[in-house]
Amino acid sequence: MEMMTPIQALLNEKNGTEPIHVYYTFSEREKYIKNALDFLSYALDRGYKVLFIEEESFYEEIISHLHMMYPNDVLENILHQESKQFYLSSNRFNAEQNSTKLLTLISPLLEEGHRIMIWGQVLLPSQDSILSQLRTYEIQCDQFIAEHWLTTVCAYNGFITPAYIQTDLLKTHKYFMTDDEVTISGLYQRDYLQLINEQDKDRMSNIERENKQLILDNEKLSKAYELIARKKFEYWKLLQELPISILITKEHKVVFANEKALIDLELPSFEEIKGETVFNFIDLTNYTLRKQWIDTLDANQEYDLKEVELKLENGSVKTFKLKSIRTWYKNGEAVLHVFIDLTPYKMLEKKMIRAEKLNIAGQLAAGIAHEIKNPLTSIKGFYKLIKHGMGKESYYTIIDDELDRIEQIANEFLILSKPHTDVFKVHSISRIIEEVKTLLETQAIIKGNDIITSYQYEEELLITCEETKIKQVFVNLIKNAIEATSNGHIYITVKKRDQFVEISVKDEGCGISDDALARISEPFFTTKEKGTGLGLLICDKIIDNHNGTRKIVSKEGIGTTFTITFPLTKSPQPSIPVDPVLLSEQSI
Ligand code: ADP
Ligand code: MG
């Protein structure tokens, strides 16, 4: 058996014995429509008139049901008003206006002696003081209903009617109905049916203000959530697509790797490395840097951008710039590692250094030919004398010395032009300077310059370096000095300064203008007809690779001083001999 709707039960029970004013809060459309249909049927069955104030879509559905149950002339007893048009004018609920409208519609029918039932689905706009407007309207309705013995259902959508309004509506309606039940409202009191006093008004507007603030806060919050969600999405998209390698680790375990990281670090798919310890894929080859890196991470600190060599999972070694910063990943602290692959730049750099080296070697060749010619001439001369039986013992010593000199120059030249697979080793800086001096002395003399070296220290100064690279630096600097100077001095001074060795190359040449000074390290900046403009750039690179520094002071017309420093290496051996000839033999 079909259950009776609550409205049907109420109407049957009271059956015209009292005026009825129902506050109906509905939430299920189907049940709502059944209640409305029973209400209408009750009226139509008894020949009553019904003022049916209903939303368009509800009305259409209800009326199509009624068409199946009643002939058209019976349905004419229904006066339909569209909810929005009836209750709202320019989207506001106006109590006085709505009461008047109701009266205008009902009065003629009452005068004609009809019995009248009213069903209204009330629409609530979001407006100021809606509560007091509703209260006023419903009080007037309640009085009107009592006076004329009417049966009225005021229906409110339970989803959008705030609780504070619902509570108030319970005070102005005797009956409270839901989709399934009906009861007398415990809050209904005749006292409330006086018009609203000032105190009430204040109270209501307070409630409304708070409610409005809540709605605003809510809107702000949901906007903020939306923004956060969008930012989060954008952030991950950015990380994923950035053309820089990014890995995120949690307690040294990989939790994220972007596309570029998989490529640069030569990793298989992310799935295969997820959760594995990071050191399986990227291990710093340099023990000190590795320890520093791990210590920094373990101390919850950030690791500053540094150039490091990484041994990859497949065994290959690549150079990267590495920076590790703290971040947040899936509800926990994590570390985000940024890798910049320097391999292509390193290759270019190597090529440049080599090209400049060859260029210098080419330039040096002319000077060297000249240099070798002198001892050769004297050797030839003495050889002739000996051949013709005019030799003396001392000639052999001279020939020996000259041959040594030729050998020494040839050795230096070879070292510089040989394609080197250099390694870092401990070397005496003064020996290096001496050997470079040998190489350039002739060129200096051709221009009337004197190279004066001065070694100011007590113990031998040692640095850990790639020998040919450091030689290349000083060949560059001294060559520049020679080229800038005519008939002057070039002073080379080597000093100890704390944990550093300081080498200065001072000339009495043309000097460098301020404009030129700002640009001398730029690639291809040269003021020379046959210059490459790469010398200083490469010097800087090499000095940098050796953790050194370079300063320059220059005054036009007076001269230029380059000052270079390198960190000193403490040697376990007491000292290393500084005989340039002896050492140049070893370094072949
Ligand atoms: P290059 O020697 O091939 O010109 P460098 O990089 O070695 O290239 O030098 C760049 C420029 O810096 C030179 O052309 C010159 O103008 C200036 N310069 C370098 N060293 C000196 C110096 N000791 N005195 C005057 N100018 C110098
Ligand atoms: Mg140069």
Side-chain angles (χ1 to χ4, degrees):
M1 197 187 82
E2 273 233 349
M3 286 267 287
M4 220 193 271
T5 57
I7 192 65
Q8 203 177 6
L10 183 70
L11 293 173
N12 286 345
E13 189 197 325
K14 301 301 169 193
N15 208 13
T17 55
E18 62 168 278
I20 296 177
H21 192 195
V22 180
Y23 160 48
Y24 174 19
T25 174
F26 67 92
S27 44
E28 287 175 65
R29 188 183 168 102
E30 226 171 88
K31 289 181 179 171
Y32 176 82
I33 285 171
K34 274 195 112 259
N35 273 300
L37 277 172
D38 283 349
F39 182 88
L40 290 163
S41 304
Y42 182 90
L44 295 178
D45 290 344
R46 287 164 180 75
Y48 300 164
K49 295 266 178 201
V50 184
L51 175 57
F52 191 52
I53 310 167
E54 188 51 274
E55 235 243 281
E56 200 61 50
S57 75
F58 282 87
Y59 173 71
E60 268 162 23
E61 192 173 338
I62 289 163
I63 207 75
S64 70
H65 279 291
L66 289 175
H67 270 302
M68 294 186 278
M69 297 155 66
Y70 297 96
N72 279 348
D73 60 327
V74 174
L75 293 184
E76 272 166 21
N77 283 325
I78 300 175
L79 274 83
H80 171 237
Q81 290 283 310
E82 211 280 314
S83 280
K84 197 168 171 189
Q85 273 168 25
F86 183 86
Y87 289 112
L88 308 182
S89 65
S90 24
N91 219 14
R92 291 185 67 83
F93 188 98
N94 184 312
E96 295 300 332
Q97 218 171 303
N98 291 348
S99 298
T100 316
K101 261 193 206 166
L102 197 65
L103 271 181
T104 329
L105 281 167
I106 300 276
S107 301
L109 297 173
L110 286 171
E111 274 160 30
E112 283 169 27
H114 290 288
R115 292 283 309 263
I116 296 163
M117 289 169 67
I118 306 169
W119 177 284
Q121 188 188 143
V122 186
L123 296 181
L124 284 183
S126 57
Q127 74 180 52
D128 286 344
S129 63
I130 180 71
L131 192 57
S132 65
Q133 289 292 331
L134 270 184
R135 168 76 77 88
T136 312
Y137 175 72
E138 291 289 7
I139 286 172
Q140 285 172 4
C141 281
D142 200 60
Q143 272 164 1
F144 189 67
I145 287 162
E147 268 168 42
H148 297 279
W149 212 271
L150 300 179
T151 296
T152 302
V153 171
C154 303
Y156 288 81
N157 185 333
F159 285 116
I160 55 173
T161 312
Y164 76 95
I165 289 181
Q166 301 207 8
T167 319
D168 206 75
L169 288 167
L170 287 171
K171 294 172 184 171
T172 47
H173 298 75
K174 183 169 176 186
Y175 293 98
F176 170 52
M177 190 170 102
T178 63
D179 288 326
D180 303 302
E181 275 153 324
V182 65
T183 165
I184 287 187
S185 160
L187 299 182
Y188 180 73
Q189 285 170 25
R190 276 277 151 186
D191 298 353
Y192 280 112
L193 299 190
Q194 304 143 4
L195 283 175
I196 312 159
N197 62 28
E198 283 308 309
Q199 212 185 335
D200 262 350
K201 266 192 189 154
D202 280 355
R203 202 179 49 82
M204 286 180 183
S205 67
N206 267 343
I207 294 176
E208 273 176 357
R209 223 186 356 261
E210 273 169 33
N211 185 56
K212 218 166 125 188
Q213 190 56 46
L214 272 177
I215 291 172
L216 279 180
D217 288 351
N218 232 333
E219 272 170 13
K220 271 191 214 153
L221 262 181
S222 62
K223 272 197 192 122
Y225 277 128
E226 204 177 287
L227 193 73
I228 290 171
R230 210 174 56 224
K231 290 270 167 233
K232 212 167 138 183
F233 175 77
E234 281 168 5
Y235 172 74
W236 284 110
K237 194 169 146 70
L238 187 74
L239 283 194
Q240 191 58 257
E241 289 182 10
L242 216 57
I244 291 175
S245 305
I246 291 169
L247 273 191
I248 298 180
T249 57
K250 253 184 181 175
E251 284 155 3
H252 302 318
K253 301 236 163 41
V254 178
V255 291
F256 173 85
N258 72 356
E259 293 288 328
K260 180 81 171 142
L262 296 177
I263 297 170
D264 282 355
L265 300 172
E266 299 172 15
L267 293 170
S269 71
F270 173 63
E271 291 311 314
E272 276 173 63
I273 60 164
K274 196 173 159 188
E276 301 250 343
T277 157
V278 68
F279 305 117
N280 288 352
F281 319 108
I282 46 162
D283 216 355
L284 275 62
T285 55
N286 182 309
Y287 176 77
T288 324
L289 285 180
R290 179 184 199 269
K291 190 169 174 328
Q292 222 180 53
W293 185 51
I294 296 172
D295 287 351
T296 316
L297 297 184
D298 287 346
N300 278 354
Q301 305 267 306
E302 310 215 324
Y303 189 73
D304 245 5
L305 200 61
K306 273 211 186 73
E307 197 174 305
V308 294
E309 257 185 4
L310 296 185
K311 187 158 189 236
L312 304 180
E313 197 197 15
N314 59 14
S316 65
V317 174
K318 277 172 132 184
T319 311
F320 286 91
K321 281 227 172 201
L322 165 65
K323 189 180 171 85
S324 302
I325 53 179
R326 310 217 58 85
T327 185
W328 196 256
Y329 184 83
K330 295 205 173 145
N331 308 324
E333 291 247 357
V335 187
L336 185 147
H337 310 276
V338 181
F339 298 92
I340 302 167
D341 189 357
L342 296 181
T343 319
Y345 305 100
K346 284 280 154 195
M347 268 157 65
L348 191 71
E349 196 181 299
K350 268 195 192 130
K351 272 190 197 152
M352 263 172 72
I353 291 180
R354 173 134 182 77
E356 171 68 2
K357 201 161 85 175
L358 286 177
N359 179 55
I360 287 181
Q363 288 179 25
L364 283 178
I368 283 162
H370 187 90
E371 175 75 353
I372 290 176
K373 212 174 159 226
N374 289 338
L376 273 182
T377 314
S378 74
I379 290 170
K380 218 171 157 187
F382 287 114
Y383 172 72
K384 269 188 190 145
L385 289 175
I386 294 165
K387 198 174 159 190
H388 292 109
M390 298 189 291
K392 285 187 196 159
E393 192 60 19
S394 64
Y395 291 176
Y396 289 104
T397 324
I398 296 172
I399 290 174
D400 251 2
D401 286 351
E402 298 289 22
L403 282 174
D404 275 351
R405 174 107 188 112
I406 289 171
E407 192 180 21
Q408 188 188 333
I409 291 167
N411 282 344
E412 283 309 315
F413 183 66
L414 279 178
I415 284 181
L416 212 62
S417 41
K418 206 157 63 180
H420 261 278
T421 43
D422 234 351
V423 278
F424 276 84
K425 273 192 192 149
V426 179
H427 293 282
S428 152
I429 185 71
S430 49
R431 176 183 53 78
I432 289 178
I433 300 281
E434 275 304 313
E435 286 173 9
V436 171
K437 188 182 159 195
T438 313
L439 209 53
L440 291 167
E441 229 157 17
T442 325
Q443 295 206 355
I445 292 164
I446 290 169
K447 288 206 72 187
N449 295 326
D450 212 0
I451 301 179
I452 301 162
T453 46
S454 152
Y455 300 101
Q456 306 170 3
Y457 48 80
E458 281 158 16
E459 264 177 42
E460 186 55 54
L461 301 180
L462 302 176
I463 61 170
T464 306
C465 65
E466 294 175 287
E467 184 183 8
T468 39
K469 296 272 166 61
I470 298 297
K471 279 190 176 163
Q472 200 178 344
V473 168
F474 289 106
V475 166
N476 265 320
L477 294 179
I478 299 168
K479 230 169 106 336
N480 278 348
I482 294 169
E483 283 160 356
T485 314
S486 307
N487 303 319
H489 301 92
I490 290 151
Y491 299 96
I492 303 172
T493 316
V494 180
K495 282 184 205 163
K496 183 174 186 272
R497 270 203 197 283
D498 296 328
Q499 300 306 306
F500 295 87
V501 57
E502 183 188 279
I503 309 107
S504 62
V505 178
K506 178 170 184 260
D507 66 53
E508 298 174 333
C510 57
I512 308 169
S513 72
D514 286 348
D515 281 352
L517 203 55
R519 301 186 50 202
I520 52 168
S521 292
E522 282 176 20
F524 310 116
F525 174 78
T526 179
T527 54
K528 298 166 196 167
E529 208 182 314
K530 286 188 177 158
T532 60
L534 290 172
L536 286 176
L537 172 80
I538 284 157
C539 283
D540 286 354
K541 270 274 149 232
I542 295 171
I543 293 167
D544 211 45
N545 283 344
H546 285 79
N547 297 320
T549 64
R550 195 255 300 147
K551 269 194 302 211
I552 171 167
V553 177
S554 185
K555 215 169 169 79
E556 270 184 286
I558 308 272
T560 306
T561 308
F562 278 87
T563 311
I564 315 296
T565 71
F566 292 112
L568 279 170
T569 302
K570 286 210 184 74
S571 151
Q573 308 105 294
S575 106
I576 277 179
V578 215
D579 184 336
V581 179
L582 200 82
L583 269 147
S584 71
E585 261 168 14
Q586 286 179 357
S587 58
I588 297 168

